[in-house]
Coordinates of all heavy atoms in Angstrom, one line a residue:
M1 N -90.4 -3.4 84.2 CA -89.7 -2.2 84.4 C -90.3 -1.3 85.5 O -91.5 -1.1 85.5 CB -89.6 -1.4 83.0 CG -88.7 -0.3 83.1 SD -88.3 0.3 81.4 CE -89.8 0.5 80.6
A2 N -89.5 -0.8 86.3 CA -90.0 0.0 87.5 C -89.0 1.0 87.8 O -87.9 0.9 87.4 CB -90.3 -1.0 88.7
R3 N -89.5 2.0 88.7 CA -88.6 3.0 89.2 C -89.1 3.4 90.5 O -90.3 3.2 90.9 CB -88.6 4.2 88.2 CG -89.9 4.9 88.0 CD -89.6 6.2 87.0 NE -89.0 5.8 85.8 CZ -87.8 6.3 85.5 NH1 -87.2 7.1 86.3 NH2 -87.2 6.0 84.3
M4 N -88.2 4.0 91.3 CA -88.5 4.5 92.6 C -87.6 5.5 93.0 O -86.5 5.6 92.4 CB -88.5 3.3 93.7 CG -87.2 2.7 93.8 SD -86.9 1.7 95.3 CE -87.0 3.0 96.5
K5 N -87.9 6.2 94.1 CA -87.0 7.3 94.6 C -86.5 6.8 96.0 O -87.3 6.6 96.9 CB -87.7 8.6 94.7 CG -86.8 9.8 95.0 CD -87.6 11.1 94.9 CE -86.5 12.3 94.9 NZ -87.1 13.6 94.7
C6 N -85.2 6.7 96.1 CA -84.6 6.3 97.3 C -84.8 7.4 98.4 O -84.9 8.6 98.0 CB -83.1 6.0 97.1 SG -82.2 5.5 98.6
L7 N -84.7 7.0 99.6 CA -84.8 8.0 100.7 C -83.8 9.1 100.6 O -83.9 10.1 101.2 CB -84.9 7.3 102.1 CG -86.1 6.5 102.3 CD1 -86.0 5.6 103.6 CD2 -87.3 7.5 102.5
C8 N -82.6 8.8 100.0 CA -81.6 9.8 99.8 C -81.9 10.7 98.7 O -81.1 11.7 98.5 CB -80.2 9.0 99.6 SG -79.9 8.4 98.0
G9 N -82.8 10.4 97.9 CA -83.3 11.3 96.8 C -82.8 10.8 95.4 O -83.3 11.4 94.5
M10 N -82.1 9.7 95.4 CA -81.7 9.3 94.1 C -82.8 8.4 93.4 O -83.5 7.7 94.1 CB -80.4 8.4 94.3 CG -79.9 7.9 93.0 SD -78.2 7.3 93.1 CE -77.8 7.0 91.4
E11 N -82.9 8.7 92.1 CA -83.9 7.9 91.4 C -83.3 6.6 91.0 O -82.3 6.5 90.4 CB -84.3 8.7 90.1 CG -85.1 10.0 90.2 CD -86.5 9.7 90.6 OE1 -87.0 8.7 90.3 OE2 -87.1 10.6 91.0
L12 N -84.0 5.5 91.3 CA -83.6 4.2 91.0 C -84.6 3.6 89.9 O -85.7 3.8 89.9 CB -83.7 3.3 92.2 CG -82.9 3.7 93.4 CD1 -83.0 2.7 94.6 CD2 -81.4 4.0 93.1
S13 N -84.0 2.8 89.0 CA -84.7 2.2 87.9 C -84.1 1.0 87.5 O -82.9 0.8 87.6 CB -84.8 3.2 86.8 OG -85.3 2.5 85.6
N14 N -84.9 0.0 87.1 CA -84.4 -1.2 86.5 C -84.6 -1.2 85.0 O -84.7 -2.3 84.4 CB -85.0 -2.4 87.1 CG -86.5 -2.5 86.8 OD1 -87.1 -1.7 86.2 ND2 -87.1 -3.7 87.3
H15 N -84.6 0.0 84.4 CA -84.8 0.1 83.0 C -83.7 -0.6 82.2 O -83.9 -1.3 81.3 CB -84.8 1.6 82.6 CG -84.9 1.9 81.1 ND1 -86.2 1.7 80.5 CD2 -84.0 2.2 80.2 CE1 -86.0 2.0 79.2 NE2 -84.7 2.3 78.9
D16 N -82.4 -0.4 82.6 CA -81.3 -1.1 81.9 C -81.3 -2.5 82.4 O -81.4 -2.9 83.5 CB -80.0 -0.4 82.2 CG -80.0 1.0 81.7 OD1 -80.5 1.3 80.7 OD2 -79.2 1.9 82.4
A17 N -81.0 -3.4 81.4 CA -80.8 -4.9 81.7 C -79.5 -5.4 81.0 O -79.5 -5.3 79.8 CB -82.1 -5.7 81.3
P18 N -78.6 -5.7 81.8 CA -78.5 -5.8 83.3 C -78.3 -4.3 83.9 O -78.0 -3.4 83.2 CB -77.3 -6.7 83.5 CG -76.4 -6.4 82.4 CD -77.3 -6.3 81.2
N19 N -78.5 -4.3 85.2 CA -78.3 -2.9 85.9 C -77.6 -3.2 87.2 O -77.4 -4.4 87.6 CB -79.6 -2.3 86.1 CG -80.6 -3.1 86.9 OD1 -80.3 -3.3 88.1 ND2 -81.7 -3.6 86.3
D20 N -77.2 -2.1 87.9 CA -76.5 -2.3 89.1 C -77.5 -2.0 90.3 O -77.0 -1.9 91.5 CB -75.3 -1.2 89.2 CG -74.2 -1.6 88.2 OD1 -73.9 -2.8 88.1 OD2 -73.7 -0.7 87.6
V21 N -78.7 -2.0 90.1 CA -79.7 -1.7 91.2 C -80.3 -2.9 91.7 O -80.4 -3.1 92.9 CB -80.8 -0.7 90.6 CG1 -81.9 -0.6 91.6 CG2 -80.2 0.6 90.3
E22 N -80.7 -3.8 90.8 CA -81.4 -5.1 91.3 C -80.4 -6.1 91.7 O -79.4 -6.4 91.0 CB -82.2 -5.7 90.2 CG -83.5 -4.9 89.9 CD -84.3 -5.6 88.8 OE1 -83.9 -5.5 87.7 OE2 -85.4 -6.0 89.2
L23 N -80.6 -6.7 92.9 CA -79.8 -7.8 93.3 C -80.6 -9.1 93.3 O -81.8 -9.1 93.6 CB -79.4 -7.6 94.8 CG -78.7 -6.2 95.1 CD1 -78.4 -6.2 96.6 CD2 -77.4 -6.0 94.3
V24 N -79.9 -10.2 92.8 CA -80.6 -11.5 92.7 C -80.2 -12.3 93.9 O -79.1 -12.6 94.1 CB -80.2 -12.2 91.4 CG1 -80.9 -13.5 91.4 CG2 -80.5 -11.4 90.2
V25 N -81.1 -12.5 94.8 CA -80.8 -13.0 96.1 C -81.7 -14.3 96.4 O -82.9 -14.3 96.3 CB -81.1 -11.9 97.3 CG1 -80.9 -12.6 98.7 CG2 -80.4 -10.7 97.1
Y26 N -80.9 -15.4 96.8 CA -81.5 -16.6 97.2 C -80.8 -17.0 98.5 O -79.7 -16.7 98.8 CB -81.2 -17.7 96.3 CG -81.8 -17.5 94.8 CD1 -81.1 -16.9 93.8 CD2 -83.1 -18.0 94.6 CE1 -81.6 -16.7 92.6 CE2 -83.7 -17.8 93.3 CZ -82.9 -17.2 92.3 OH -83.4 -17.0 91.1
T27 N -81.6 -17.6 99.4 CA -81.0 -18.2 100.6 C -80.1 -19.4 100.1 O -80.3 -19.9 99.0 CB -82.0 -18.7 101.6 OG1 -82.7 -19.8 101.0 CG2 -82.9 -17.6 102.0
D28 N -79.2 -19.8 100.9 CA -78.4 -20.9 100.6 C -79.2 -22.2 100.4 O -79.0 -23.0 99.5 CB -77.3 -21.2 101.7 CG -76.3 -22.2 101.3 OD1 -75.7 -22.0 100.2 OD2 -76.0 -23.1 102.1
K29 N -80.2 -22.4 101.2 CA -81.2 -23.6 101.0 C -81.9 -23.5 99.7 O -82.0 -24.5 99.0 CB -82.1 -23.7 102.1 CG -81.6 -24.2 103.4 CD -82.6 -24.3 104.4 CE -82.1 -24.9 105.8 NZ -83.0 -25.0 106.8
E30 N -82.4 -22.3 99.3 CA -83.2 -22.1 98.1 C -82.2 -22.5 96.9 O -82.5 -23.2 96.0 CB -83.7 -20.7 97.9 CG -84.8 -20.4 98.8 CD -85.1 -18.9 98.8 OE1 -84.3 -18.1 98.5 OE2 -86.4 -18.6 99.2
W31 N -80.9 -22.0 97.0 CA -80.0 -22.1 95.9 C -79.6 -23.7 95.9 O -79.4 -24.2 94.7 CB -78.7 -21.3 96.1 CG -77.8 -21.3 94.9 CD1 -76.7 -21.8 94.9 CD2 -78.2 -20.9 93.6 NE1 -76.1 -21.8 93.6 CE2 -77.1 -21.1 92.8 CE3 -79.3 -20.3 93.1 CZ2 -77.0 -20.8 91.4 CZ3 -79.3 -19.9 91.6 CH2 -78.1 -20.2 90.9
E32 N -79.5 -24.3 97.0 CA -79.2 -25.8 96.9 C -80.3 -26.6 96.3 O -80.0 -27.4 95.5 CB -79.1 -26.2 98.5 CG -78.5 -27.6 98.6 CD -77.0 -27.6 98.2 OE1 -76.3 -26.6 98.3 OE2 -76.6 -28.8 97.9
R33 N -81.5 -26.2 96.5 CA -82.7 -26.9 95.9 C -82.6 -26.6 94.3 O -82.8 -27.5 93.6 CB -84.0 -26.4 96.4 CG -84.4 -27.1 97.7 CD -85.9 -26.9 98.0 NE -86.2 -25.5 98.3 CZ -86.1 -24.9 99.4 NH1 -85.6 -25.5 100.5 NH2 -86.4 -23.7 99.5
I34 N -82.3 -25.4 94.0 CA -82.2 -25.1 92.5 C -81.1 -25.9 91.9 O -81.2 -26.4 90.8 CB -81.9 -23.6 92.4 CG1 -83.2 -22.8 92.8 CG2 -81.6 -23.3 90.9 CD1 -83.0 -21.3 92.9
C35 N -80.0 -26.0 92.6 CA -78.8 -26.7 92.0 C -78.9 -28.3 92.1 O -78.0 -28.9 91.6 CB -77.6 -26.2 92.7 SG -77.2 -24.5 92.4
D36 N -79.9 -28.7 92.8 CA -80.0 -30.1 93.1 C -80.6 -30.9 91.9 O -81.7 -31.4 92.0 CB -80.9 -30.4 94.4 CG -80.8 -31.8 94.7 OD1 -79.8 -32.6 94.4 OD2 -81.8 -32.3 95.4
C37 N -79.9 -30.8 90.8 CA -80.4 -31.5 89.6 C -79.2 -31.7 88.7 O -78.1 -31.2 89.0 CB -81.4 -30.7 88.8 SG -80.9 -29.1 88.3
E38 N -79.4 -32.4 87.6 CA -78.2 -32.8 86.7 C -77.6 -31.5 86.2 O -76.4 -31.4 86.1 CB -78.7 -33.7 85.6 CG -79.3 -35.0 86.1 CD -78.2 -36.1 86.2 OE1 -77.2 -36.0 85.3 OE2 -78.1 -36.8 87.2
S39 N -78.4 -30.7 85.7 CA -77.9 -29.4 85.0 C -78.8 -28.3 85.3 O -80.0 -28.5 85.4 CB -77.5 -29.7 83.5 OG -78.8 -29.8 82.8
I40 N -78.3 -27.1 85.3 CA -79.1 -25.9 85.5 C -79.2 -25.1 84.1 O -78.2 -24.7 83.6 CB -78.5 -25.0 86.6 CG1 -78.2 -25.7 87.8 CG2 -79.4 -23.8 86.7 CD1 -77.5 -24.9 88.9
E41 N -80.4 -25.1 83.7 CA -80.7 -24.1 82.6 C -81.0 -22.8 83.1 O -82.0 -22.7 83.9 CB -81.7 -24.7 81.7 CG -81.5 -26.2 81.3 CD -80.3 -26.3 80.3 OE1 -79.7 -25.3 79.8 OE2 -79.9 -27.5 80.1
P42 N -80.4 -21.8 82.6 CA -80.8 -20.4 83.1 C -82.3 -20.1 83.1 O -82.8 -19.5 84.0 CB -80.0 -19.4 82.2 CG -78.9 -20.3 81.7 CD -79.3 -21.7 81.6
W43 N -83.0 -20.5 82.0 CA -84.4 -20.2 81.9 C -85.3 -21.0 83.0 O -86.4 -20.7 83.1 CB -84.9 -20.3 80.5 CG -84.6 -21.8 79.9 CD1 -85.4 -22.8 80.1 CD2 -83.5 -22.1 79.1 NE1 -84.8 -23.9 79.4 CE2 -83.6 -23.5 78.9 CE3 -82.3 -21.4 78.7 CZ2 -82.7 -24.1 78.1 CZ3 -81.4 -22.1 78.0 CH2 -81.6 -23.4 77.7
N44 N -84.7 -22.0 83.5 CA -85.4 -22.8 84.5 C -85.2 -22.4 85.9 O -85.8 -22.9 86.9 CB -85.0 -24.3 84.5 CG -85.7 -25.0 83.2 OD1 -86.6 -24.6 82.7 ND2 -85.0 -26.0 82.8
I45 N -84.3 -21.4 86.2 CA -84.1 -20.8 87.5 C -85.3 -20.1 88.0 O -85.6 -19.1 87.3 CB -82.7 -20.1 87.6 CG1 -81.6 -20.9 87.3 CG2 -82.6 -19.4 89.0 CD1 -80.3 -20.2 87.1
P46 N -85.9 -20.5 89.1 CA -87.1 -19.7 89.5 C -86.7 -18.3 90.0 O -85.6 -18.0 90.4 CB -87.6 -20.5 90.7 CG -86.5 -21.2 91.2 CD -85.6 -21.5 90.0
L47 N -87.7 -17.3 89.9 CA -87.5 -16.0 90.4 C -87.2 -16.1 91.9 O -87.8 -16.9 92.6 CB -88.7 -15.2 90.2 CG -89.0 -14.7 88.7 CD1 -90.3 -14.1 88.6 CD2 -87.9 -13.9 88.2
P48 N -86.4 -15.2 92.4 CA -86.2 -15.1 93.9 C -87.4 -14.8 94.6 O -88.3 -14.3 94.1 CB -85.1 -14.1 94.0 CG -84.6 -13.7 92.7 CD -85.6 -14.2 91.7
R49 N -87.4 -15.3 95.8 CA -88.6 -15.0 96.7 C -88.9 -13.4 96.8 O -89.9 -13.0 96.9 CB -88.4 -15.6 98.1 CG -89.5 -15.4 99.1 CD -89.2 -16.2 100.3 NE -90.1 -15.9 101.4 CZ -89.9 -16.1 102.6 NH1 -88.8 -16.5 103.1 NH2 -90.9 -15.8 103.6
Y50 N -87.7 -12.7 97.0 CA -87.8 -11.3 97.2 C -87.2 -10.5 95.9 O -86.2 -11.0 95.4 CB -87.2 -10.8 98.4 CG -87.8 -11.3 99.7 CD1 -87.2 -12.3 100.5 CD2 -89.0 -10.8 100.1 CE1 -87.8 -12.8 101.6 CE2 -89.6 -11.3 101.3 CZ -89.0 -12.3 102.0 OH -89.6 -12.7 103.2
N51 N -87.8 -9.3 95.7 CA -87.1 -8.5 94.7 C -86.4 -7.5 95.5 O -86.9 -6.7 96.3 CB -88.3 -7.8 93.9 CG -87.8 -7.0 92.8 OD1 -86.6 -7.1 92.4 ND2 -88.6 -6.3 92.1
V52 N -85.0 -7.4 95.3 CA -84.1 -6.6 96.1 C -83.5 -5.6 95.3 O -82.9 -5.9 94.2 CB -83.1 -7.5 96.8 CG1 -82.2 -6.7 97.7 CG2 -83.8 -8.6 97.6
W53 N -83.6 -4.3 95.7 CA -82.9 -3.2 95.0 C -81.9 -2.5 96.0 O -82.1 -2.5 97.2 CB -83.9 -2.2 94.6 CG -84.8 -2.6 93.5 CD1 -85.2 -3.8 93.2 CD2 -85.3 -1.6 92.5 NE1 -86.0 -3.7 92.0 CE2 -86.1 -2.4 91.6 CE3 -85.2 -0.3 92.3 CZ2 -86.7 -1.8 90.5 CZ3 -85.8 0.3 91.2 CH2 -86.6 -0.5 90.4
Q54 N -80.8 -2.1 95.4 CA -79.7 -1.5 96.2 C -79.5 -0.1 95.6 O -79.2 0.0 94.4 CB -78.5 -2.2 96.3 CG -77.4 -1.5 97.2 CD -76.1 -2.2 97.1 OE1 -75.6 -2.7 96.2 NE2 -75.5 -2.3 98.4
C55 N -79.5 0.9 96.4 CA -79.2 2.3 95.9 C -77.7 2.4 95.8 O -76.9 2.2 96.7 CB -79.7 3.4 96.9 SG -79.2 5.1 96.4
P56 N -77.2 2.7 94.6 CA -75.8 2.8 94.4 C -75.1 4.0 95.2 O -73.9 4.0 95.4 CB -75.6 3.1 92.9 CG -77.0 3.1 92.3 CD -78.0 3.0 93.4
R57 N -75.9 5.0 95.5 CA -75.3 6.1 96.2 C -75.2 5.8 97.8 O -74.2 5.9 98.3 CB -76.2 7.4 96.1 CG -75.5 8.7 96.7 CD -76.6 9.8 96.9 NE -76.8 10.4 95.5 CZ -78.0 11.1 95.4 NH1 -78.8 11.4 96.3 NH2 -78.1 11.7 94.2
C58 N -76.3 5.6 98.4 CA -76.3 5.4 99.9 C -76.2 4.0 100.3 O -76.2 3.7 101.6 CB -77.5 6.1 100.5 SG -79.1 5.4 100.2
K59 N -76.3 3.0 99.5 CA -76.3 1.6 99.7 C -77.5 1.1 100.5 O -77.4 0.0 100.9 CB -75.0 1.2 100.5 CG -73.7 1.8 99.8 CD -73.5 1.3 98.4 CE -72.2 1.8 97.8 NZ -72.2 1.7 96.4
R60 N -78.5 1.8 100.6 CA -79.7 1.3 101.1 C -80.2 0.1 100.4 O -80.1 0.1 99.1 CB -80.9 2.3 101.2 CG -80.9 3.2 102.4 CD -82.2 4.0 102.4 NE -82.2 4.9 103.6 CZ -81.6 6.2 103.6 NH1 -81.1 6.6 102.5 NH2 -81.7 6.9 104.7
I61 N -80.8 -0.8 101.1 CA -81.4 -2.0 100.5 C -82.8 -2.0 100.7 O -83.4 -1.8 101.8 CB -80.9 -3.3 101.1 CG1 -79.3 -3.4 100.9 CG2 -81.5 -4.5 100.6 CD1 -78.8 -3.8 99.6
Y62 N -83.6 -2.1 99.6 CA -85.1 -2.2 99.6 C -85.5 -3.6 99.2 O -85.1 -4.1 98.2 CB -85.7 -1.3 98.7 CG -85.4 0.3 98.9 CD1 -84.2 0.9 98.5 CD2 -86.3 1.0 99.7 CE1 -83.9 2.2 98.8 CE2 -86.0 2.2 100.1 CZ -84.9 2.9 99.6 OH -84.7 4.2 100.0
V63 N -86.3 -4.3 100.1 CA -86.8 -5.6 99.8 C -88.2 -5.6 99.6 O -89.0 -5.1 100.4 CB -86.4 -6.5 101.1 CG1 -86.9 -8.0 100.8 CG2 -84.9 -6.5 101.3
Y64 N -88.7 -6.1 98.5 CA -90.1 -6.2 98.1 C -90.4 -7.7 98.0 O -89.7 -8.5 97.6 CB -90.3 -5.6 96.7 CG -90.0 -4.1 96.6 CD1 -88.7 -3.6 96.3 CD2 -90.9 -3.1 96.7 CE1 -88.4 -2.3 96.2 CE2 -90.7 -1.8 96.7 CZ -89.4 -1.4 96.4 OH -89.1 0.0 96.4
N65 N -91.7 -8.0 98.3 CA -92.2 -9.3 97.9 C -93.2 -9.1 96.7 O -93.3 -8.0 96.2 CB -92.9 -10.0 99.1 CG -94.1 -9.3 99.6 OD1 -94.7 -8.4 98.9 ND2 -94.6 -9.5 100.8
R66 N -93.7 -10.2 96.3 CA -94.5 -10.1 95.1 C -95.9 -9.6 95.3 O -96.6 -9.2 94.4 CB -94.7 -11.5 94.5 CG -93.3 -12.2 94.2 CD -92.6 -11.6 93.0 NE -91.2 -12.1 93.0 CZ -90.2 -11.4 92.3 NH1 -90.5 -10.4 91.7 NH2 -89.0 -12.0 92.4
E67 N -96.4 -9.4 96.6 CA -97.8 -9.1 96.9 C -97.9 -7.6 97.2 O -99.0 -7.0 97.0 CB -98.3 -9.9 98.1 CG -98.5 -11.4 97.8 CD -97.2 -12.2 98.1 OE1 -96.5 -11.8 99.0 OE2 -97.0 -13.1 97.2
N68 N -96.8 -6.9 97.6 CA -96.9 -5.6 98.1 C -96.2 -4.6 97.1 O -95.1 -4.9 96.7 CB -96.4 -5.4 99.5 CG -97.2 -6.2 100.5 OD1 -98.4 -5.9 100.7 ND2 -96.6 -7.2 101.2
E69 N -96.8 -3.4 97.0 CA -96.2 -2.4 96.2 C -95.1 -1.7 96.9 O -94.1 -1.3 96.4 CB -97.2 -1.4 95.7 CG -96.8 -0.3 94.8 CD -97.9 0.6 94.4 OE1 -99.0 0.0 93.9 OE2 -97.7 1.8 94.4
N70 N -95.2 -1.6 98.3 CA -94.2 -1.0 99.1 C -93.2 -2.0 99.6 O -93.6 -3.1 99.8 CB -94.8 -0.2 100.3 CG -95.7 0.9 99.9 OD1 -95.4 1.7 98.8 ND2 -97.0 1.0 100.3
P71 N -92.0 -1.6 99.9 CA -91.0 -2.5 100.4 C -91.4 -3.1 101.7 O -92.0 -2.4 102.5 CB -89.6 -1.7 100.6 CG -90.1 -0.3 100.5 CD -91.4 -0.2 99.7
V72 N -91.1 -4.4 102.0 CA -91.5 -5.0 103.2 C -90.3 -4.9 104.2 O -90.5 -5.1 105.4 CB -91.8 -6.5 103.0 CG1 -93.1 -6.7 102.2 CG2 -90.7 -7.4 102.2
M73 N -89.1 -4.6 103.7 CA -87.9 -4.3 104.5 C -87.1 -3.3 103.9 O -86.9 -3.3 102.7 CB -87.1 -5.6 104.8 CG -87.8 -6.7 105.6 SD -86.8 -8.2 105.7 CE -87.7 -9.2 104.3
I74 N -86.5 -2.4 104.7 CA -85.5 -1.4 104.2 C -84.3 -1.5 105.2 O -84.5 -1.4 106.4 CB -86.1 0.0 104.1 CG1 -87.3 0.1 103.3 CG2 -85.1 1.0 103.7 CD1 -88.0 1.4 103.3
Y75 N -83.1 -1.6 104.6 CA -81.9 -1.6 105.4 C -81.0 -0.4 105.0 O -80.9 -0.1 103.8 CB -81.1 -2.9 105.1 CG -81.9 -4.1 105.5 CD1 -82.6 -4.8 104.6 CD2 -81.7 -4.7 106.8 CE1 -83.3 -6.0 104.9 CE2 -82.4 -5.8 107.1 CZ -83.2 -6.5 106.2 OH -83.9 -7.6 106.5
R76 N -80.3 0.1 106.0 CA -79.4 1.2 105.6 C -78.1 1.0 106.5 O -78.2 0.4 107.5 CB -79.9 2.6 105.7 CG -80.1 3.0 107.2 CD -80.6 4.5 107.3 NE -80.9 4.7 108.6 CZ -80.2 5.7 109.3 NH1 -79.2 6.3 108.8 NH2 -80.5 5.9 110.5
L77 N -77.1 1.5 106.0 CA -75.8 1.4 106.7 C -75.8 2.1 108.0 O -76.4 3.3 108.0 CB -74.6 2.0 105.8 CG -74.3 1.2 104.6 CD1 -73.2 1.9 103.8 CD2 -73.8 -0.2 104.9
E78 N -75.3 1.5 109.1 CA -75.3 2.3 110.3 C -74.2 3.4 110.4 O -74.4 4.4 111.0 CB -75.1 1.2 111.5 CG -76.2 0.3 111.7 CD -76.0 -0.6 112.9 OE1 -75.2 -0.2 113.8 OE2 -76.7 -1.6 113.0
D79 N -73.1 3.1 109.7 CA -72.0 4.1 109.7 C -71.6 4.4 108.3 O -71.7 3.6 107.4 CB -70.8 3.5 110.4 CG -71.1 3.3 111.9 OD1 -71.6 4.3 112.5 OD2 -70.7 2.2 112.4
Ligands
ZN101 ZN1 -80.0 6.1 98.3

């Protein structure tokens, strides 16, 4: 469970499970490797490489890796 403050000022939290803040993101190749078996058991799906959060207000995307406390990438809408 974690929380952070978006640059727009909104408090973000993953307290609720499920929630609308965390995005589960895999590349197509990663997903292909995961699906390359007879059957997929949900508990066997590996954690994504990045922990991705989206602010519901301003739609900024924060990308974290497992080693750093601060986001390694931040994206925001141009318009
Ligand atoms: Zn925001």
Side-chain angles (χ1 to χ4, degrees):
M1 187 166 49
R3 61 178 51 244
M4 63 164 291
K5 190 171 192 173
C6 180
L7 289 169
C8 76
M10 185 163 186
E11 293 282 344
L12 306 180
S13 166
N14 65 355
H15 177 76
D16 295 328
N19 61 67
D20 291 321
V21 171
E22 286 182 291
L23 306 180
V24 180
V25 178
Y26 295 94
T27 66
D28 190 46
K29 284 184 177 178
E30 289 169 338
W31 189 246
E32 191 70 25
R33 277 195 298 274
I34 292 167
C35 294
D36 189 23
C37 59
E38 295 275 323
S39 66
I40 301 173
E41 306 294 349
W43 54 86
N44 284 336
I45 297 174
L47 288 173
R49 180 176 174 201
Y50 293 107
N51 190 7
V52 181
W53 286 33
Q54 182 183 42
C55 175
R57 182 197 286 162
C58 70
K59 308 302 182 198
R60 273 190 181 85
I61 299 281
Y62 295 87
V63 180
Y64 298 86
N65 64 18
R66 307 284 170 203
E67 293 83 40
N68 294 299
E69 186 175 309
N70 295 319
V72 291
M73 292 174 262
I74 301 173
Y75 299 91
R76 72 178 174 111
L77 294 176
E78 289 187 22
D79 296 313

